Every structure is written in structure tokens, then in C-alpha cells.
Amino acid sequence: MNVKKQILSGLLLLAALTASAQESQQGETVYDFKPHWFLQVQPVGGQYTLGEVDFSHLASYNVQAALGYQFNKVVGLRLAVNAWQSKGGIEIDNSDFGQVNFRQTWKWNYVAPSLDLQFNLSNLLNYNPKRFFNLYAFVGAGVNFASSNDEAQDAEKALQAYLNSGNNRAWDGNQNMRYLWDGSKTSLFGQGGLVGDFRLSDAISLILEANANLLSDKYNSKKAGNADWYFNALAGLKVNLGKTYTSRFIPAPVPEPVVVEEPAPVVEEPVVKEEPVIEPIRRDVFFTINSFKIADVEAQKVKDVADYLQKYPKAKVMVTGYADAGTGNDKINDRLAAQRADAVVMALRNQYGISPERISYDSKGARVQPFAENDRNRVSICIAE
């Protein structure tokens, strides 16, 4: 019988400890963005150079690498280098029989560095560094250095031989190679595109990119009377260089217990010599609606508390954050109250070097309203003594 009681007592104790652990974990993890460098390597890529020939004849390979810097949650800048091959083509069909009588395609090499401004569209809605998928959009410009256009020279010779043979009645004159170039060709281009980022870890992501590039009409050696385009699809990895965020855990406010005070017994105390009493100070640091940033006009109050603590080395401070009950809901107000208390604590520690052992903090959400005026309850109350 005693064994059963001991087992039952043990189970009850385990349940109580589990409940206590769960309660202690209640709260919210806040992520703070850190600017960082990143590297992109995309060894798998395909390109389609827009032209009058079927898609299958104008598809080629390309690769890309980039080094970038993410300035904030949304905006980043990268220097990318795209390279390998582009293709061009020309064909003449016999309209009587509906079949191609003449077709020539050619390819050439290129290297195209660009500077791109990119935007994390997912973080515009909500910042979460643990999110599995992020969508980026980017725009940029660069210079395309093309070379090895020998196949285009051969295509021009074949075209002239075909036309001179008299088999040119289907030739409309629109597909000609008046912009044929030899040696190398330099062209400015503009580009835009999208990148899908699939998070594998804090440091590595799988990225899929699609972009469109606009160049002058002289890029593919043909005079078409309109700008030339090529489109890239790329796959590879992104590596974040360094830490991209820090995290802080803000515990949920705990309702104050109801304490029934009992009259203390009267005890006669010996008369002692009174020492000088150090008067405590209180400073109320007010915030604007839906904000936990300390305004310039309120920063002096934080300094007053820091000066007091530096003057009296044994003094300590209690910082309590609040939110107004007139706006928001409990979840939002709990978070704001905790963040307002945290903002004052971080200022005392980081700006004035106050030891963490001398600072206590709490938050009451909107459950406790220290002021009758609703807007004044957006506050962190600091009491140092």
C-alpha cells in the first residue's frame, strides 16, 4: 500500500513540475535583424534568346555567381556575373508548301556583370528569419561583353549563297544580318526578375531565379527594328556570411496574485540611531501608440535613472512596462508592454553600463492601468531605490 502511495505521489509531483516548466516557457521570441554579406552560386542555368526561330533552336546554357549585402529586412544589393552562351537564328520558309527551306543558327560567348537592387517581398509583410520560403524581386543594369561570333559569320555566308541561288522568293527582307559583328561586342543592358529562396539552414538556402534582360538591337547580329531580349532560368545555393539575426525571449506578463494583508503583530523594536534616508526616484517613460522606441524627449528620464544608480552604487531599479487598454488586444498589448520595458532595460545596460544584477523588469500588458488617462498608460515606470 505504501508503494502505491509513493508511486502516486511521484506522478503528481512530475505533473506539477511539467506544468511549472510549461508556464515558465510562455512568452514570445523576438528576432532582431543583423546586416550581413551573402554569396550566390548558380551553376545550373538555361537561356532563351528571343528570335524568329523556334524555341528549341535558341536555347543555351549559362551560369551565374554573385556577392551581395543585405542592408535591412527588405533591401539588399548584389554584384552578379552571368556568363556562357547566347544564340541567334534565321530561317526562310516556302509559303507555298509551308515548310522551312533555309535555317541557320549560331551561338556566341558572353560575360555580363550587373549591379542589382533586390527586395525581400516576404519580409514586407512579416519578418521571420525561420521562414522556409522567401520571395525576392530585383532590378538592375550591367554591361554584356560578347565574343566568339564566328558561327554568325558562317551563317551570313550561307544566307548569301542561298539568296544568290535564286531560292529567295519567300524572303521578306526583314530577317537580315546588317548588324553582324566580329571580334567582340559590348552592350549595356537592363534586367529584372524574381528569386525564390528555400531555407535549408540559417546559413544555406536553395535559390531558383528567373530574369529578363533587355539589350540593343545589335546584340544578335540581326537588324529587326526592335530591342533584343534574353531570358535566364537559374538554380543554385545562397550562403549567408555571418550571423543574420539575434533572438530574445520576452516572457508573458504574469497577473499579480491577490494578497490579503493581515495586520502585523505589534513588536517593540529597540531604538536605533537613524541613518540618512536616500529618497527613491520614479521616472515615467512614455511611448507613442503601437511603439516601443524611446523618443528623444523621453531619453532624459532614462538618463536620470542611470545617474541615480551611478550615484548610489547599492541602489537598484524596477522597470515595469504597460500598454493602454483603449487600443489593441491582450496579445498585442502584452507584447508592447514587454518591449517597452525591454527598451528601457537595454538603454540602461548598453548606453549607461548599468549592471544587469541591479535591474529588475516586468510587464503588465493592459491588465493594469496606472493612469486614469488612457494614452498615458503607454509607459514604462522606473522606480529606483
Side-chain angles (χ1 to χ4, degrees):
M1 190 68 178
N2 291 334
V3 174
K4 291 183 179 179
K5 288 183 178 179
Q6 291 177 357
I7 294 174
L8 180 59
S9 300
L11 292 175
L12 291 174
L13 178 61
L14 179 61
L17 291 174
T18 303
S20 175
Q22 290 176 346
E23 290 177 0
S24 66
Q25 293 175 0
Q26 291 179 353
E28 180 182 7
T29 299
V30 177
Y31 298 105
D32 298 317
F33 173 84
K34 292 191 68 174
H36 57 275
W37 292 91
F38 62 87
L39 180 67
Q40 294 177 339
V41 179
Q42 295 154 284
V44 180
Q47 180 181 113
Y48 168 63
T49 312
L50 188 64
E52 295 78 12
V53 183
D54 291 342
F55 175 88
S56 60
H57 297 292
L58 297 181
S60 56
Y61 300 101
N62 71 342
V63 295
Q64 184 167 283
L67 177 66
Y69 189 78
Q70 195 70 29
F71 295 99
N72 55 43
K73 301 172 186 178
V74 176
V75 181
L77 189 69
R78 73 173 185 180
L79 175 63
V81 179
N82 183 274
W84 204 341
Q85 288 182 345
S86 291
K87 283 190 175 182
I90 192 169
E91 67 180 27
I92 302 172
D93 61 1
N94 188 326
S95 58
D96 291 343
F97 299 100
Q99 56 183 319
V100 175
N101 284 358
F102 176 86
R103 178 189 293 125
Q104 285 288 319
T105 59
W106 59 93
K107 61 181 180 293
W108 63 98
N109 299 331
Y110 73 93
V111 176
S114 65
L115 193 62
D116 304 322
L117 190 64
Q118 64 178 22
F119 306 91
N120 188 322
L121 303 181
S122 300
N123 281 347
L124 282 174
L125 304 176
N126 177 44
Y127 174 64
N128 181 4
K130 299 291 188 179
R131 184 189 296 114
F132 173 67
F133 176 75
N134 285 275
L135 180 64
Y136 291 81
F138 66 89
V139 292
V143 183
N144 184 298
F145 301 97
S147 62
S148 303
N149 203 32
D150 297 338
E151 292 187 11
Q153 306 286 338
D154 295 337
E156 165 67 5
K157 294 176 182 177
L159 173 63
Q160 295 303 321
Y162 176 80
L163 296 178
N164 293 334
S165 69
N167 297 320
N168 59 354
R169 58 195 182 94
W171 175 252
D172 59 11
N174 292 325
Q175 300 186 72
N176 59 71
M177 301 181 68
R178 295 186 200 172
Y179 290 149
L180 181 65
W181 51 271
D182 190 13
S184 62
K185 178 72 177 176
T186 301
S187 306
L188 298 176
F189 70 93
Q191 71 169 346
L194 297 172
V195 177
D197 184 301
F198 299 85
R199 178 181 176 274
L200 303 179
S201 69
D202 284 349
I204 300 176
S205 300
L206 170 67
I207 55 173
L208 302 178
E209 177 177 337
N211 60 57
N213 301 264
L214 175 66
L215 309 94
S216 73
D217 188 27
K218 299 182 179 182
Y219 180 62
N220 64 359
S221 299
K222 294 168 51 181
K223 181 177 181 180
N226 52 261
D228 288 334
W229 290 82
Y230 62 79
F231 305 90
N232 295 327
L234 298 147
L237 295 177
K238 173 184 175 182
V239 180
N240 292 317
L241 306 178
K243 202 168 183 63
T244 62
Y245 68 92
T246 57
S247 61
R248 294 175 290 137
F249 182 77
I250 301 177
V254 179
E256 291 185 339
V258 178
V259 179
V260 179
E261 295 185 359
E262 297 181 357
V266 178
V267 179
E268 292 184 3
E269 297 182 356
V271 178
V272 295
K273 183 180 178 180
E274 294 185 357
E275 296 182 359
V277 177
I278 301 174
E279 293 292 331
I281 68 165
R282 168 175 167 165
R283 292 293 184 268
D284 301 337
V285 182
F286 294 100
F287 298 82
T288 58
I289 188 171
N290 198 32
S291 172
F292 54 90
K293 180 181 179 181
I294 300 175
D296 293 341
V297 296
E298 299 295 311
Q300 180 60 43
K301 298 177 181 178
V302 181
K303 185 177 186 302
D304 291 345
V305 176
D307 291 342
Y308 181 94
L309 294 173
Q310 291 167 350
K311 182 177 180 181
Y312 303 107
K314 294 184 178 180
K316 296 184 178 182
V317 63
M318 179 67 187
V319 181
T320 307
Y322 299 85
D324 68 286
T327 58
N329 53 48
D330 282 345
K331 181 177 180 180
I332 295 173
N333 289 334
D334 288 348
R335 183 179 72 249
L336 279 172
Q339 290 173 329
R340 287 165 179 165
D342 188 57
V344 175
V345 171
M346 290 298 103
L348 290 172
R349 291 174 57 181
N350 298 337
Q351 295 182 26
Y352 300 104
I354 304 302
S355 172
E357 289 77 16
R358 301 178 65 192
I359 305 172
S360 300
Y361 70 96
D362 195 4
S363 61
K364 304 297 184 184
R367 295 175 176 83
V368 178
Q369 298 287 274
F371 298 100
E373 182 180 345
N374 180 72
D375 291 355
R376 291 176 64 80
N377 291 305
R378 303 166 190 149
V379 65
S380 284
I381 297 177
C382 310
I383 299 177
E385 56 186 355

